[in-house]
Amino acid sequence: MSARILIVDDEPSIVDVLAYNLQRANYEVLIARDGEEALAQARRERPDLIILDLMLPRLDGLEVCRALRRERDVPIIMLTARDAEVDRVVGLELGADDYVVKPFSVRELMVRVKNVLRRAMPRLGEAVPGPIQVAGLRVDAARHEARWHDTELDLTALEFELLHTLARHAGQVLSREQLLQQVWGYDYYGDLRVVDAAVKRLRAKLRRAAPDAQFITTIRSVGYKLAV
């Protein structure tokens, strides 16, 4: 069954280009032209992915992202203006999976869509590694479940994949570039800040489960490692 993708943008030319290319790739396409309509459609239709412009009428994209993250783990790719650096950082910290800067390459966006959906919708029949135990932390890819002792961690698909990657290499330092390749995809050529923002969100959730535990260590100018 094809993935259902919600496009949220008030620029007709961008909506037309996105809808045409996504439909050609056999995705089912939904369209919302303002923030309030986006929330209504997301709640009613439950899309598999949302492509979300930040500059929207009635309710801006950051508010939409914040509201969605309180409700469910739906992957979000932000569309941002070239000079909207602060908004990009805020959006990533709110829980967006990725972003694309306008004007964008359609080919690049389609690669991002494919990679985000790969994390969120693993293919049936794929070999799944067994559970990984690191001290009191257990990461089970087959169940898509992470636990600190008896407490289940509420992670998005991206955060789970990031934790699973760090757990597979527990005690080893992974550079931001390595994490980009392994979590976001080998054909991803993006901003290293997506890694930092995802690590920040993951750390906050781990800290809520275990306030005194030190999980992810930053190795200055290199990357991150999961403590063992």
Side-chain angles (χ1 to χ4, degrees):
M1 187 169 61
S2 64
R4 178 180 293 184
I5 299 177
L6 173 60
I7 302 169
V8 187
D9 202 302
D10 63 334
E11 295 184 48
S13 60
I14 289 179
V15 171
D16 290 347
V17 168
L18 289 177
Y20 173 76
N21 283 278
L22 290 168
Q23 287 167 341
R24 281 191 64 193
N26 296 318
Y27 296 116
E28 181 181 348
V29 174
L30 306 167
I31 296 169
R33 301 186 187 277
D34 63 60
E36 291 185 2
E37 185 184 358
L39 284 179
Q41 286 225 47
R43 290 162 177 160
R44 183 175 65 249
E45 304 292 345
R46 299 186 70 80
D48 300 299
L49 169 66
I50 298 176
I51 299 175
L52 176 65
D53 187 29
L54 291 189
M55 299 297 292
L56 294 169
R58 302 179 72 185
L59 192 67
D60 71 36
L62 292 177
E63 288 301 319
V64 173
C65 184
R66 183 179 287 110
L68 289 170
R69 275 291 166 261
R70 288 196 295 261
E71 298 175 14
R72 61 181 288 241
D73 172 19
V74 56
I76 297 170
I77 297 177
M78 300 184 304
L79 298 180
T80 77
R82 186 173 297 279
D83 58 352
E85 182 173 345
V86 172
D87 286 344
R88 288 199 288 275
V89 173
V90 172
L92 290 170
E93 291 183 350
L94 285 176
D97 294 68
D98 203 351
Y99 74 83
V100 175
V101 177
K102 295 180 180 180
F104 55 84
S105 155
V106 171
R107 180 181 178 279
E108 177 190 0
L109 179 61
M110 297 300 289
V111 168
R112 305 288 178 95
V113 166
K114 180 181 177 181
N115 286 344
V116 170
L117 287 172
R118 172 188 56 81
R119 287 194 302 268
M121 304 172 66
R123 289 173 294 182
L124 295 176
E126 281 189 335
V128 179
I132 300 171
Q133 189 82 35
V134 181
L137 182 67
R138 180 179 175 87
V139 185
D140 189 335
R143 295 175 177 269
H144 206 269
E145 181 180 273
R147 289 182 174 274
W148 171 250
H149 295 293
D150 294 329
T151 302
E152 185 171 356
L153 304 174
D154 181 20
L155 305 178
T156 67
L158 173 62
E159 292 158 359
F160 180 87
E161 185 69 21
L162 176 58
L163 179 61
H164 189 250
T165 300
L166 289 167
R168 290 202 317 269
H169 302 277
Q172 302 175 29
V173 181
L174 295 178
S175 70
R176 290 170 175 83
E177 290 83 2
Q178 287 174 310
L179 289 170
L180 270 182
Q181 290 179 344
Q182 294 188 42
V183 179
W184 280 261
Y186 282 93
D187 45 6
Y188 182 97
Y189 296 95
D191 193 331
L192 294 176
R193 284 175 300 185
V194 300
V195 178
D196 297 330
V199 168
K200 182 177 180 179
R201 299 198 313 265
L202 178 57
R203 271 182 173 149
K205 292 185 177 182
L206 291 168
R207 197 172 295 119
R208 286 199 291 271
D212 299 325
Q214 177 68 26
F215 291 100
I216 302 173
T217 303
T218 301
I219 308 302
R220 187 179 296 276
S221 302
V222 181
Y224 301 98
K225 72 175 180 179
L226 187 70
V228 294

